[in-house]
Amino acid sequence: MSFVEYGDTIKDGDTAIVFLGHESMFPVKVQHGTVTQTKYGVIRHSTDLIGKKYGSKVTCSKGGWVFILHPTPELWTMNLPHRTQILYSTDISIITMMLELKPGSIVCESGTGSGSLSHALIRTVAPTGHLYTVEFHQQRAEKAREEFREHRVEHLVTVTNQDVCKNGFGVSNIADAVFLDIPSPWEAIGHAKSALKAEGGRICSFSPCIEQVQRTCLAMEEYGFTEINTLEILLRVYNVRTISLQIPDLGKAAEDNSSTDFDSSNPSHQGSPCANLQQGTVQFKSGVPLREVVGHTGYLTFATKS
């Protein structure tokens, strides 16, 4: 199992996603002799998982069933253990597009955090690209290395534990893109410029506060970056549901008009809309926005090295 290569069957040591429903799933490390508890009963790894195909429907001990899914960066983002605040697919998609990433690209990232964006970047640049990711916190850096090793992508990523604002990324003039998710990104713009290739490299900075954006834009201008622009991505999700609405009561005036202008006994009027208009309800499909939606996540500032 690898997050960048698809495998048909579940093997010992794989990370798999147990899917109970769209709002209920979790990751599990498949190990021989281990069991996993769910609300539908026990899943025995040796007999229920190992050797089965990804996507299989597995029956639990209480008679309920779950699906076992192959991991992807999108599923990992929804289920990973949170060590920090993370980026979600809405922001990740625009970041990978605006940084113009492709297989073979070299990317520098700081900080690594929980590895949500890191997994998406690794899949995008595979199989010949590389991610250099810097994490200030030592324990988070060690945990990230462990996860990359378990997910079998360690050959595509280098994790460094250091302060990017003081020590940079550890590489010079090779990166196609740089991503910053740190409290003071303006302090790392000089190191980002040094890491980027000689011309045309792209940079992105993610900041939750507009004051951070202002200082970062000033630093980008100071270091000669061009095409500076800031985006905010707001997602609005709709559910398709059956809606019931009451047919309006048009009042006495409508009744008088219908009695004088419309004769329901006349065969020529049978089947007309007025003949079937009765007080009641009508049902139809409609898109309904969620009652609670994610609002502001952060500002994405992009620029190009000239």
Coordinates of all heavy atoms in Angstrom, one line a residue, residues 53 132 198:
K53 N -9.9 -7.5 -1.1 CA -9.7 -6.4 -2.0 C -10.2 -5.1 -1.4 O -11.1 -5.1 -0.6 CB -10.5 -6.6 -3.3 CG -9.9 -7.7 -4.3 CD -10.5 -7.7 -5.6 CE -9.8 -8.6 -6.6 NZ -10.4 -8.5 -8.0
Y132 N 10.5 18.9 0.1 CA 11.4 19.3 1.2 C 10.5 20.0 2.2 O 10.1 21.2 2.0 CB 12.6 20.1 0.8 CG 13.5 19.4 -0.1 CD1 13.4 19.5 -1.5 CD2 14.6 18.7 0.4 CE1 14.2 18.8 -2.3 CE2 15.5 18.1 -0.4 CZ 15.3 18.1 -1.8 OH 16.2 17.5 -2.7
A198 N 16.1 29.8 -10.4 CA 16.6 31.1 -10.8 C 15.5 32.1 -11.3 O 15.5 33.3 -11.0 CB 17.7 31.0 -11.9

